[in-house]
Amino acid sequence: MNYNRVVCFDLEMCCWNENGVGTTGEIIEIGLAEIALDQQAIVKRAQYYVKPENDEISLFCSQLTGITPRKIEKQGRPLEQVIQSMIKNFGAGNKIYAAWGRDDLILKQECESKHIECPVGEFLNLATLFRIQQRMKNKRIGHRDAQELLGIDWEGRQHSGYVDAFNLAKLALKLL
């Protein structure tokens, strides 16, 4: 295990807003940003668009994420190919993966349902770590609010996997 490298990742999924209630479906984007703790730097970034097999991208989802059906049609690839690219470019079992919340479970569940080996082994939930460090046992806090609380500027459009993973990497450098 390489404890010097942490791959921060963020997922965007098909989402719907019906009667004010949001639901989510298949993964449509995976954003990644790898940090080197010894350099205190972000050393690698990537963005992968995923073609959903059983879900569609709603107007609500496009407005929230900026991901349109056309973008997925042109740039999206099947999840299995995206996972292969992730493993090639970021490694699998030898790296620690981190997210804000339990994106690891979402990714694992979708990989299992599609008979794909999930690249995430060792996982770190940065939301839990943040709440422990800030003594916020019973209070939930979003990624952006946590980052701003620590005085780290947010860069880019929220709900873009690529942007969210980059911002999460900046936060991880402060927490780890």
Side-chain angles (χ1 to χ4, degrees):
M1 180 66 62
N2 185 345
Y3 290 99
N4 180 48
R5 296 290 179 109
V6 178
V7 179
C8 298
F9 74 102
D10 184 75
L11 306 175
E12 298 303 326
M13 290 144 327
C14 291
C15 49
W16 304 81
N17 187 7
E18 297 177 17
N19 301 322
V21 178
T23 58
T24 60
E26 287 180 274
I27 296 167
I28 55 174
E29 181 193 9
I30 302 175
L32 301 109
E34 184 172 332
I35 59 174
L37 295 173
D38 61 345
Q39 299 172 41
Q40 282 292 291
I42 298 168
V43 294
K44 191 184 308 185
R45 293 176 69 187
Q47 176 180 44
Y48 302 106
Y49 290 111
V50 181
K51 282 188 179 178
E53 293 176 12
N54 305 305
D55 211 341
E56 297 177 14
I57 298 170
S58 67
L59 177 60
F60 170 78
C61 188
S62 291
Q63 291 171 340
L64 180 69
T65 66
I67 301 169
T68 63
R70 181 170 166 81
K71 183 176 282 189
I72 292 296
E73 184 181 310
K74 293 181 85 175
Q75 299 177 40
R77 296 183 295 149
L79 181 62
E80 185 170 24
Q81 289 178 19
V82 168
I83 295 296
Q84 289 169 356
S85 294
M86 283 175 59
I87 292 169
K88 179 182 176 196
N89 296 316
F90 291 89
N94 63 331
K95 299 267 179 79
I96 298 168
Y97 278 74
W100 189 265
R102 294 308 308 263
D103 281 10
D104 65 315
L105 297 179
I106 295 166
L107 182 60
K108 284 178 183 180
Q109 183 178 27
E110 190 163 329
C111 283
E112 280 180 22
S113 73
K114 295 179 179 177
H115 309 289
I116 302 166
E117 189 171 338
C118 183
V120 177
E122 190 78 24
F123 177 75
L124 184 60
N125 181 343
L126 293 173
T128 299
L129 179 62
F130 179 84
R131 287 198 322 265
I132 290 169
Q133 288 180 353
Q134 298 298 313
R135 306 296 190 255
M136 302 172 100
K137 294 177 188 168
N138 298 319
K139 183 181 177 194
R140 291 202 169 285
I141 186 167
H143 170 199
R144 187 173 186 153
D145 289 338
Q147 189 163 315
E148 289 174 357
L149 188 68
L150 293 181
I152 304 167
D153 290 333
W154 186 273
E155 296 180 46
R157 178 192 175 127
Q158 194 170 7
H159 300 297
S160 156
Y162 184 69
V163 169
D164 290 354
F166 172 71
N167 282 299
L168 187 59
K170 293 191 321 180
L171 180 61
L173 285 170
K174 192 93 155 179
L175 296 177
L176 302 175

